[in-house]
């Protein structure tokens, strides 16, 4: 919604600058989304005089004008019928930008034109486009049009929250600011002079839907003169982004922007049967609207009708069959209120959004209808003349009863961490228009709520108003707590994410809500602690009824989505908290990293033969991640996870704790998630790792002074023996000088017996104190071989 700074100052005497006021409004809860300096376009337009006028030699409807803008005389081709010699006009020179139009030098029928003489429509001042804008004779040549018309203003684009319909008009904004800035508020009081003729003799009213139309008022004015609005009215409308049309329509728009309550004007002569009926639309009823569209209505829509047809779509838009024209003489002013949910439903279905519907959708008050009606009639009598008929038609089936709200001083101070006196609380709330009902009690204060604050129904609402006016920035600052974040955890998480991204992974972000049926698909046992999930009391549905105890189901659904969209080679990971139930009201949280790999190892490249991802690709990435986390002395054991293919899963342990899991998803499990291709997953228990006593300091090692010695060893061993235990046996047999052990080959089949395989290791021997001799290395190798034979029945190759 747009708010004019100059218009606002008509109701409160603001001493602040436009920019200072923006900050105060934002802190008061009126969010300013943007600021526009009005008049910037019109500053480009100069007042000029037509010093020579003659007909175009090659066109009957064009004229050739010489225009003096105070600095030079330019030739301009003009097609307006009211152009003539000696008039003052609005001149746009070459380079001027008007809306979507940029003025350039052009040649029209063989004669050059060096600018444009503008109409009011082209300038955005009004809808008048029958001819050019002619200015008074005393308009000073060379002056910019914005300064001459006094259109310079600041326009705020504000976002009004749905619970504050009282701020949908400039008076509502002014009322709020008067309380904030402690300034007196000036609200116009309307006085109407009625004729002796009664409105009941000219018009009848019937409200068939009192629950949907909570109030409807109508006043009638006879013998009005439809004409252009005075300059002051045009300026006000332009300042808030509305284009002037005629005096009657402009007044209804002015009052809507002033009071925040929409109005509509009907031509009385076009109301059939001289009766207004508020009813539901007939099914498939066609309504011709002012925007030149024919809308197909449904039976739940509300319409304003006469005895024959609908003449307005209630609260949204008027009809083309009853609107104000230059021939109109007698008018009916409608000021009403409708059920906000009904208006919202209709606008959503028909995809209509108007200034009127914007306000009715936010549940404006019935009481404001009378104020807006009286104000509009007062201005119409002043500007358009006419006689106001005696009385009004008013359907007000259920008047709202005011319910007092109490506020406790002790409760207010406890919530706000302040020490306010009852006098301060009373001052803040009465400045907003609330009336104190009890003055003797210093603790419990009871207030009557004004009609325009429908949002104030509870004690906490009043407390919120108190802190708004007191100022959020005036709350005492409590000393900042230390250790707000664990920097090690924060930067380690970032490092882990970077490593995975470098490996070609994409991070996914899923909701923390999950489906308990996913655990069934993964064959998670009933005794598994991941079955002890935290349930939501009011879930969106079965698929979002628990807090996730695993990340894998979400990743599998992400994978299916990508596969269905043509992606065949991808890697996904998610780093989020998972939850298990701690008690009836509390849950355990732990940080988990899960990943998924599908497709080929490398992107397609003509030099490289495509290779599918396998278990060892995943294992290498996880080992690298653990290395970045300073976990190197880890052990591998067979996984007990039910969702891994048998023999294709492993658990990684550190000091007896499981810190990671790797494996190939069982094809049957994958099929339960509608996935039919091989895929591999991993889980890293980051929470467990962060709680381990691991050295986090980086340190440097010198390059060894003595050269390392490399040896290979190859032997056949039964597959039943764990790889990690074999590595540990070799390392322990090396008397502390084996610095690196690398498995470079594994082979089974051929002449090797079933259940056995050949393992080949590269061993690096190094010492920081001496050069290692061949004799010394050979003795250690003999020891290693003996220990392998004794422990694993290894056969050397």
């Amino acid at each position: 919604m747009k708010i004019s700074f100059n218009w606002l100052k008509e109701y409160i005497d603001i001493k602040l600058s436009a920019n200072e006021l923006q900050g105060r409004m934002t802190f008061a809860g009126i969010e300013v989304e943007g600021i526009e300096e009005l008049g910037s376009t019109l500053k480009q337009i100069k007042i000029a005089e037509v010093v020579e006028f003659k007909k175009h030699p090659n066109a009957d409807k064009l004229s050739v004008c010489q225009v003096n803008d105070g600095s030079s005389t330019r030739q301009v081709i003009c097609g307006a019928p009211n152009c003539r010699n000696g008039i003052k006009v609005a001149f746009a020179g070459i380079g001027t930008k008007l809306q979507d139009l940029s003025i350039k030098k052009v040649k029209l029928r063989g004669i050059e034109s060096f600018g444009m003489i503008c109409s009011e429509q082209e300038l955005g001042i009004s809808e008048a486009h029958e001819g050019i804008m002619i200015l008074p004779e005393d308009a000073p040549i060379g002056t910019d049009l914005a300064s001459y018309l006094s259109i310079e203003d600041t326009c705020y684009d504000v976002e009004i929250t749905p619970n504050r319909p009282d701020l949908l008009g400039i008076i509502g904004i002014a009322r709020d600011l008067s309380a904030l800035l402690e300034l007196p508020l000036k609200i116009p009081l309307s006085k109407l002079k009625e004729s002796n003729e009664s409105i009941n003799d000219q018009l009848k009213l019937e409200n068939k839907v009192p629950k949907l139309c909570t109030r409807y008022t109508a006043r009638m004015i006879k013998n009005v003169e439809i004409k252009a609005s005075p300059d002051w009215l045009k300026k006000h409308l332009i300042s808030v982004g509305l284009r002037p049309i005629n005096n009657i329509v402009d007044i209804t728009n002015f009052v809507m922007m002033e009071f925040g309550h929409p109005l509509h004007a009907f031509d009385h002569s076009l109301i059939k049967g001289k009766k207004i009926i508020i009813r539901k639309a007939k099914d498939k009823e066609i309504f011709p609207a002012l925007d030149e569209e024919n809308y197909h209505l449904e039976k739940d829509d509300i319409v304003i009708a006469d005895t024959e047809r609908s003449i307005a779509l209630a609260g949204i838009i008027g009809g083309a069959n009853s609107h104000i024209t230059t021939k109109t003489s007698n008018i009916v002013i409608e000021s009403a209120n409708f059920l906000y949910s009904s208006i919202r439903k209709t606008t959503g279905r028909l995809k209509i959004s108007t200034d009127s519907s914007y306000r009715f959708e936010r549940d404006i008050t019935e009481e404001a209808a009378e104020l807006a009606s009286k104000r509009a009639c007062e201005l119409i009598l002043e500007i358009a003349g006419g006689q106001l008929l005696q009385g009004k038609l008013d359907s007000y089936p259920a008047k709202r009863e005011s319910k007092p709200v109490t506020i406790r001083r002790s409760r207010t101070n406890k919530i706000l961490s302040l020490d306010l006196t009852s006098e301060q609380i009373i001052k803040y709330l009465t400045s907003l228009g609330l009336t104190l009902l009890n003055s003797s009690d210093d603790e419990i204060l009871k207030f009557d709520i004004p009609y325009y604050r429908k949002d104030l129904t509870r004690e906490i609402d009043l407390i919120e108003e108190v802190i708004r006016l007191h100022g959020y920035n005036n709350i005492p600052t409590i000393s900042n707590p230390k250790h707000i974040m664990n920097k090690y955890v924060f930067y380690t998480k970032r490092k882990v994410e970077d490593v995975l991204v470098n490996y070609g992974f994409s991070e996914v972000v899923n909701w923390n809500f999950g489906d308990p049926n996913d655990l069934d698909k993964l064959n998670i046992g009933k005794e598994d602690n991941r079955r002890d999930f935290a349930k939501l009391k009011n879930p969106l549905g079965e698929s979002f009824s628990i807090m996730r105890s695993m990340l894998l189901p979400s990743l599998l659904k992400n994978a299916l989505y990508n596969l269905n969209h043509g992606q065949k080679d991808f890697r996904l990971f998610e780093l989020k908290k998972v939850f298990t139930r701690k008690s009836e009201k509390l849950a355990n949280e732990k940080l988990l990293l899960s990943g998924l790999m599908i497709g080929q190892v490398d992107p397609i490249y003509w030099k490289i033969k495509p290779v599918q991802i396998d278990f060892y690709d995943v294992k290498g990435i996880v080992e690298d991640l653990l290395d970045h986390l300073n976990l190197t002395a880890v052990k591998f054991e067979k996984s007990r996870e039910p969702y891994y293919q048998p023999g294709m899963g492993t658990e990684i342990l550190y000091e007896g704790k499981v810190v990671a899991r790797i494996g190939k998803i069982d094809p049957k499990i994958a099929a339960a998630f509608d996935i039919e291709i091989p895929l591999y997953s991993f889980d890293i228990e980051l929470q467990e790792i962060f709680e381990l006593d691991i050295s986090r300091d980086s340190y440097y090692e010198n390059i060894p002074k003595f050269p390392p010695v490399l040896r290979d060893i190859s032997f056949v061993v039964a597959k039943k023996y764990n790889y990690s235990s074999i590595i540990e046996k070799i390392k322990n047999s090396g008397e502390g000088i084996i610095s690196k052990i690398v498995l470079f080959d594994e082979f089974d089949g051929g002449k090797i017996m079933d259940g056995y395989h050949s393992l080949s290791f590269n061993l690096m021997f190094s010492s920081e104190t001496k050069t290692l001799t061949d004799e010394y290395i050979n003795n250690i190798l003999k020891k290693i071989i003996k220990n392998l034979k004794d422990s694993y029945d290894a056969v050397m190759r």
Side-chain angles (χ1 to χ4, degrees):
M1 189 180 82
K2 296 184 181 296
I3 297 294
S4 162
F5 181 56
N6 289 340
W7 194 347
L8 201 56
K9 291 194 291 186
E10 295 178 13
Y11 308 109
I12 49 176
D13 188 17
I14 302 173
K15 302 299 184 183
L16 302 174
S17 68
N19 286 332
E20 290 172 332
L21 184 62
Q22 175 198 1
R24 298 300 293 271
M25 283 199 293
T26 299
F27 274 106
I30 305 171
E31 182 182 356
V32 180
E33 294 188 325
I35 293 183
E36 179 185 356
E37 295 297 332
L38 298 179
S40 56
T41 299
L42 297 185
K43 277 186 174 294
Q44 307 172 84
I45 309 302
K46 302 294 183 183
I47 297 176
E49 181 179 6
V50 179
V51 295
E52 183 181 323
F53 173 87
K54 60 183 181 181
K55 290 292 183 181
H56 195 294
N58 302 321
D60 295 336
K61 295 184 179 181
L62 298 179
S63 58
V64 181
C65 305
Q66 300 298 323
V67 178
N68 175 25
D69 66 355
S71 60
S72 61
T73 300
R74 295 179 175 85
Q75 181 173 276
V76 179
I77 308 300
C78 182
N82 61 338
C83 186
R84 59 185 183 274
N85 194 42
I87 60 174
K88 300 288 181 65
V89 295
F91 172 67
I94 292 175
T96 302
K97 292 184 178 180
L98 290 174
Q99 301 178 43
D100 297 329
L101 179 65
S102 181
I103 308 300
K104 301 176 181 178
K105 183 179 77 170
V106 296
K107 185 178 285 189
L108 298 174
R109 296 292 181 93
I111 298 180
E112 291 183 327
S113 178
F114 298 88
M116 184 175 76
I117 303 175
C118 305
S119 68
E120 290 190 10
Q121 185 187 52
E122 291 162 336
L123 295 171
I125 294 176
S126 75
E127 293 290 341
H129 61 280
E130 295 82 6
I132 57 174
M133 181 181 185
I134 298 178
L135 299 169
E137 293 182 2
D138 59 353
I141 296 173
T143 303
D144 68 85
L145 195 61
S147 300
Y148 177 71
L149 297 178
S150 301
I151 294 181
E152 295 174 284
D153 195 0
T154 299
C155 180
Y156 303 103
D157 192 356
V158 299
E159 175 62 31
I160 304 300
T161 54
N163 67 319
R164 292 298 305 273
D166 60 300
L167 299 179
L168 293 172
I170 294 179
I171 285 179
I173 300 286
R175 182 188 293 115
D176 225 50
L177 290 175
S178 72
L180 180 69
L181 303 176
E182 300 182 11
L183 297 172
L185 177 66
K186 297 171 284 185
I187 298 180
L189 299 176
S190 301
K191 296 180 181 180
L192 299 180
K193 183 179 180 181
E194 298 178 337
S195 67
N196 294 326
E197 185 178 1
S198 173
I199 189 174
N200 294 304
D201 298 333
Q202 298 291 334
L203 193 66
K204 302 297 180 184
L205 174 64
E206 181 181 2
N207 185 357
K208 293 185 176 182
V209 285
K211 291 184 178 180
L212 300 179
C213 177
T214 54
R215 189 173 191 183
Y216 192 97
T217 69
R219 283 185 164 89
M220 182 174 172
I221 304 177
K222 299 179 71 173
N223 302 320
V224 297
E225 181 185 359
I226 309 299
K227 58 184 178 180
S229 298
D231 288 342
W232 71 265
L233 181 52
K234 289 181 179 179
K235 291 175 186 176
H236 278 73
L237 295 179
I238 292 170
S239 70
V240 291
L242 298 177
R243 182 169 287 186
I245 298 174
N246 60 55
N247 53 355
I248 302 301
V249 176
D250 293 351
I251 288 170
T252 60
N253 285 334
F254 174 87
V255 175
M256 176 186 70
M257 293 305 302
E258 187 177 45
F259 279 89
H261 197 100
L263 302 104
H264 187 66
F266 296 103
D267 186 329
H268 178 261
S269 67
L270 299 177
I271 300 176
K272 305 296 183 181
K274 305 310 174 191
K275 183 177 183 180
I276 290 177
I277 304 170
I278 306 107
R279 60 172 172 82
K280 286 187 177 183
K282 301 170 185 176
D283 197 24
K284 307 301 180 184
E285 181 175 358
I286 297 176
F287 169 67
L290 281 172
D291 59 1
E292 300 180 355
E293 294 283 344
N294 288 325
Y295 293 101
H296 296 265
L297 306 182
E298 295 183 357
K299 58 183 179 181
D300 289 332
D301 299 326
I302 315 171
V303 296
I304 311 302
D306 55 24
T307 56
E308 297 181 10
R309 71 272 163 88
S310 55
I311 56 177
L313 188 54
I316 300 173
I317 192 170
N321 52 12
S322 60
H323 72 291
I324 304 299
T325 68
T326 53
K327 297 179 182 179
T328 300
S329 176
N330 301 333
I331 63 172
V332 175
I333 299 298
E334 167 198 283
S335 185
N337 197 19
F338 306 97
L339 184 66
Y340 65 93
S341 57
S342 175
I343 302 299
R344 189 177 299 161
K345 182 179 179 181
T346 301
T347 56
R349 183 176 57 80
L350 297 178
K351 296 181 173 58
I352 311 174
S353 180
T354 63
D355 288 322
S356 176
S357 67
Y358 175 80
R359 287 162 172 80
F360 282 120
E361 287 175 2
R362 283 158 172 76
D363 194 19
I364 56 180
T365 62
E366 290 80 10
E367 290 85 350
E370 172 67 3
L371 296 174
S373 176
K374 292 175 69 173
R375 175 66 165 159
C377 290
E378 179 187 44
L379 291 174
I380 290 171
L381 294 174
E382 178 185 327
I383 295 172
Q387 298 84 44
L388 174 65
L389 270 59
Q390 188 180 66
K392 68 177 184 291
L393 303 179
D394 191 354
S395 172
Y396 197 178
K399 292 186 178 181
R400 184 178 69 93
E401 293 183 6
S402 177
K403 294 182 179 179
V405 180
T406 59
I407 180 173
R408 292 164 290 174
R409 182 176 61 85
S410 58
R411 179 67 173 164
T412 302
N413 286 327
K414 182 178 181 180
I415 290 177
L416 302 180
S417 299
L418 295 173
D419 187 19
L420 299 175
T421 63
S422 58
E423 288 75 16
Q424 287 177 288
I425 295 173
I426 293 169
K427 176 187 174 184
Y428 290 141
L429 295 179
T430 54
S431 68
L432 290 170
L434 282 70
T435 304
L436 180 65
L437 298 179
N438 64 324
S439 57
S440 58
D441 196 332
D442 186 57
E443 168 60 20
I444 301 176
L445 305 172
K446 183 183 290 187
F447 288 91
D448 183 43
I449 308 301
Y451 71 88
Y452 48 82
R453 292 304 302 270
K454 296 174 75 172
D455 58 306
L456 302 182
T457 59
R458 304 167 300 164
E459 180 183 33
I460 195 66
D461 297 328
L462 301 190
I463 294 174
E464 183 181 359
E465 295 303 299
V466 169
I467 190 55
R468 270 203 322 117
L469 297 182
H470 183 76
Y472 295 103
N473 53 333
N474 292 326
I475 298 176
T477 303
I478 301 173
S479 58
N480 295 326
K482 297 181 180 180
H483 308 298
I484 296 175
M485 61 178 282
N486 188 322
K487 290 187 177 181
Y488 168 73
V489 171
F490 177 82
Y491 287 110
T492 302
K493 284 167 57 180
R494 180 178 292 180
K495 179 167 64 174
V496 167
E497 290 168 341
D498 289 342
V499 170
L500 287 171
V501 169
N502 289 337
Y503 272 114
F505 281 79
S506 298
E507 183 175 10
V508 296
V509 179
N510 293 298
W511 285 12
N512 282 328
F513 308 140
D515 186 345
N517 296 321
D518 291 337
L519 300 180
D520 296 332
K521 294 179 181 180
L522 292 174
N523 288 338
I524 302 299
K526 293 183 178 180
E527 301 302 321
D528 195 303
N529 71 317
R530 289 170 293 191
R531 282 282 185 184
D532 198 17
F533 43 70
K535 294 182 180 179
L536 299 178
K537 283 189 174 181
N538 187 24
L540 297 173
E542 178 68 15
S543 298
F544 305 97
S545 60
I546 65 171
M547 300 298 289
R548 291 188 300 175
S549 59
M550 298 179 68
L551 302 181
L552 182 58
S554 299
L555 286 174
L556 290 170
K557 293 174 183 178
N558 298 144
L560 177 63
Y561 180 87
N562 281 274
L563 290 169
N564 288 340
H565 286 76
Q567 300 297 318
K568 302 299 181 185
D569 307 303
F570 55 87
R571 306 175 183 190
L572 306 176
F573 80 90
E574 185 172 16
L575 200 167
K576 275 284 191 70
K577 287 184 176 181
V578 291
F579 306 84
T580 52
R581 194 168 55 192
K582 183 178 182 180
S583 64
E584 190 65 29
K585 294 185 178 181
L586 298 176
N588 283 316
E589 303 178 21
K590 69 174 182 177
L591 198 61
L592 183 66
L593 170 65
S594 294
L596 206 63
M597 296 177 67
I598 297 176
Q600 297 182 10
V601 175
D602 298 306
I604 296 175
Y605 183 51
W606 65 274
K607 278 190 175 183
I608 302 175
K609 185 179 180 180
V611 177
Q612 293 295 313
I613 291 169
D614 62 19
F615 174 85
Y616 297 102
D617 295 312
V618 186
K619 175 176 174 290
I621 292 172
V622 171
E623 285 182 311
D624 190 26
L625 280 171
L626 295 178
D627 188 51
H628 278 83
L629 295 169
N630 295 332
L631 291 180
T632 53
V634 295
K635 293 183 179 180
F636 292 81
E637 290 186 0
K638 185 178 178 180
S639 175
R640 292 166 296 205
E641 289 292 4
Y643 49 82
Y644 285 148
Q645 183 175 328
M648 295 292 288
T650 185
E651 292 180 347
I652 303 177
L653 290 82
Y654 182 86
E655 295 181 352
K657 290 185 176 180
V658 177
V659 294
R661 290 176 292 275
I662 309 167
K664 180 182 179 182
I665 301 296
D666 192 308
K668 294 179 182 178
I669 301 295
F673 287 88
D674 299 323
I675 298 174
E676 299 178 353
I677 63 174
L679 65 162
Y680 297 83
S681 75
F682 65 83
D683 294 308
I684 298 180
E685 301 282 354
L686 287 181
Q687 193 72 40
E688 297 283 354
I689 294 172
F690 290 145
E691 292 173 1
L692 292 172
D693 185 18
I694 303 172
S695 174
R696 301 172 181 176
D697 297 327
S698 298
Y699 59 91
Y700 294 93
E701 290 183 350
N702 291 326
I703 297 174
K705 295 180 181 179
F706 304 98
V709 177
L710 301 177
R711 289 286 190 272
D712 291 341
I713 183 173
S714 183
F715 52 89
V716 176
V717 69
K719 290 183 178 180
K720 65 180 181 180
Y721 295 116
N722 189 281
Y723 167 81
S724 298
S725 66
I726 294 174
I727 292 288
E728 188 175 1
K729 180 64 70 174
I730 294 173
K731 197 170 186 67
N732 292 338
S733 303
E735 299 182 2
I737 64 168
I738 299 179
S739 58
K740 192 173 184 181
I741 304 173
V742 178
L743 174 69
F744 67 86
D745 186 53
E746 188 264 350
F747 175 75
D748 59 2
K751 295 182 180 181
I752 298 176
M753 292 186 298
D754 290 342
Y756 288 78
H757 58 166
S758 171
L759 301 178
S760 299
F761 292 91
N762 177 264
L763 310 181
M764 177 183 286
F765 301 86
S766 62
S767 172
E768 297 180 359
T769 59
K770 62 182 178 179
T771 300
L772 300 175
T773 63
D774 287 341
E775 182 182 0
Y776 181 68
I777 296 298
N778 291 334
N779 289 332
I780 291 179
L781 280 173
K782 290 177 182 178
K783 182 179 179 181
I784 292 172
I785 292 170
K786 182 180 184 302
N787 288 337
L788 289 174
K789 288 180 177 180
D790 293 342
S791 300
Y792 307 108
D793 295 324
V795 178
M796 308 308 298
R797 299 188 69 191

